[in-house]
Amino acid sequence: MSATKHAHKHKPVVAGPDKVRGARWWRTLGWRHGIGIVAVVYAIIPVLYIFSASVNPIGSVSSTSLIPREFSLVWFQALGNNPSRPFYQWLLNTVIVASVVVVVQLFFSTLAAFAFSRLRFKGRRVGLLSLLLIQMFPQILATVALFRIFSTVGQVVPGLGLDTLAGYILIMLGGSLGQVWLIKGTFDSIPKELDEAAKIDGAGHAGLFFRILLPLLRPILVITGLLVFVGVIAEFMLASIFLRSTGVKTVAVGMYGVLQGDRSNNLGWFAAASVVVAVPVILLFQYLQRYIVGGITAGSVKG
């Protein structure tokens, strides 16, 4: 009993972690917080200005300040009241294009990444390097060729020619293998013992892909899908060339045309449209946030 008391009496006390304070805290952590605050302020200024312009009933550049002085929803109501600028039709067109492109691009990119990661075939290395080389060239370089091709296609199949959503979707699907490298990195991080176990159980390549590996790719599919979705929404150059009619424009082309017509008097309408487009995207990012960090880092680690 005495020995036990003696042991408790002389029990070493473990010191807690030292708190970093003063100049040492600033050198180790404080400067990072400072940079973060500056970055947040720098990013939030244009957001505040756009929101202020969207609730400003006058809707001109000169009358808009960083902090709203007046509050009105007149510009949000005007988004659907003018047939010459059908904002919600443009938004629907954009959602249709983005949804189709995301689904098809992820499907083909995932299939190609599975083949490059799990299968061994002649030309595998050349194919990977060719994909990387092609992605180094901007899509705008092929604009003239695409314009000539779809001008000819439109004469045979009018529904797939210029100034059609179907034709524009086909153009955007030209980059369907754009996410192969990122998804392949995730495939490489999955132990190949899973493949062997699935084959022992009688699974073929299709069963291995859809039932075993595809559920493990959810984080990387989410992040690549978000990247493609935002990229399609923001795409302007090709859409401005191939979509000319009012009813088939995407939201980027339509909003730019409205702003170009009168930059001062249309600022409120443009700002309100920007808010309506941005809010669903922000909510989508927040909803899928738990997958984003894992998806970004998944392709960078090889198991």
Side-chain angles (χ1 to χ4, degrees):
M1 185 70 178
S2 60
T4 305
K5 290 182 178 180
H6 182 73
H8 284 292
K9 182 178 180 180
H10 295 282
K11 186 177 181 180
V13 179
V14 180
D18 296 335
K19 292 184 178 180
V20 182
R21 298 176 179 176
R24 184 183 174 190
W25 177 85
W26 177 255
R27 289 194 303 268
T28 57
L29 296 175
W31 64 272
R32 302 179 184 179
H33 292 279
I35 293 177
I37 293 173
V38 171
V40 170
V41 172
Y42 180 79
I44 205 171
I45 286 177
V47 177
L48 289 176
Y49 185 81
I50 289 296
F51 177 75
S52 177
S54 68
V55 297
N56 181 9
I58 300 177
S60 63
V61 177
S62 58
S63 63
T64 300
S65 59
L66 191 61
I67 305 299
R69 300 173 184 173
E70 301 180 65
F71 188 88
S72 175
L73 299 178
V74 61
W75 294 114
F76 291 94
Q77 297 171 357
L79 292 178
N81 295 336
N82 193 339
S84 64
R85 51 177 76 167
F87 168 76
Y88 291 108
Q89 179 63 49
W90 298 338
L91 186 59
L92 178 62
N93 295 341
T94 305
V95 171
I96 292 173
V97 174
S99 301
V100 174
V101 172
V102 167
V103 172
V104 176
Q105 184 168 143
L106 288 185
F107 181 70
F108 283 110
S109 291
T110 306
L111 288 178
F114 171 78
F116 284 123
S117 176
R118 288 310 205 248
L119 306 180
R120 294 297 180 265
F121 51 90
K122 187 176 181 180
R124 172 177 171 272
R125 180 177 177 82
V126 175
L128 281 171
L129 294 178
S130 299
L131 283 175
L132 185 62
L133 180 63
I134 291 173
Q135 293 177 15
M136 296 175 62
F137 296 94
Q139 196 175 17
I140 194 65
L141 295 178
T143 302
V144 176
L146 290 173
F147 189 87
R148 293 289 301 274
I149 291 173
F150 279 87
S151 296
T152 305
V153 170
Q155 297 175 3
V156 180
V157 186
L160 296 178
L162 299 176
D163 210 19
T164 63
L165 279 183
Y168 179 64
I169 289 175
L170 286 179
I171 293 172
M172 298 302 295
L173 289 179
S176 291
L177 299 183
Q179 310 297 327
V180 169
W181 273 92
L182 192 59
I183 300 176
K184 177 185 176 298
T186 306
F187 269 118
D188 293 340
S189 66
I190 299 175
K192 293 186 178 180
E193 287 76 11
L194 290 176
D195 303 25
E196 298 172 359
K199 291 177 181 178
I200 292 176
D201 291 338
H205 291 306
L208 172 64
F209 176 79
F210 288 105
R211 298 176 59 186
I212 307 299
L213 298 179
L214 196 59
L216 301 176
L217 297 176
R218 187 176 300 172
I220 194 64
L221 293 180
V222 167
I223 188 62
T224 51
L226 285 174
L227 292 175
V228 175
F229 186 80
V230 174
V232 174
I233 290 178
E235 203 286 318
F236 171 77
M237 187 64 68
L238 291 177
S240 64
I241 295 173
F242 290 91
L243 302 177
R244 309 299 298 176
S245 298
T246 301
V248 298
K249 288 181 178 179
T250 59
V251 71
V253 178
M255 289 172 59
Y256 177 79
V258 172
L259 187 64
Q260 190 181 32
D262 189 342
R263 295 182 183 275
S264 178
N265 292 331
N266 290 332
L267 177 64
W269 188 96
F270 181 86
S274 300
V275 172
V276 172
V277 173
V279 167
V281 177
I282 294 174
L283 294 178
L284 183 62
F285 266 87
Q286 292 298 319
Y287 176 73
L288 300 174
Q289 188 176 12
R290 64 184 183 273
Y291 298 110
I292 292 178
V293 175
I296 292 175
T297 59
S300 61
V301 180
K302 182 176 181 180

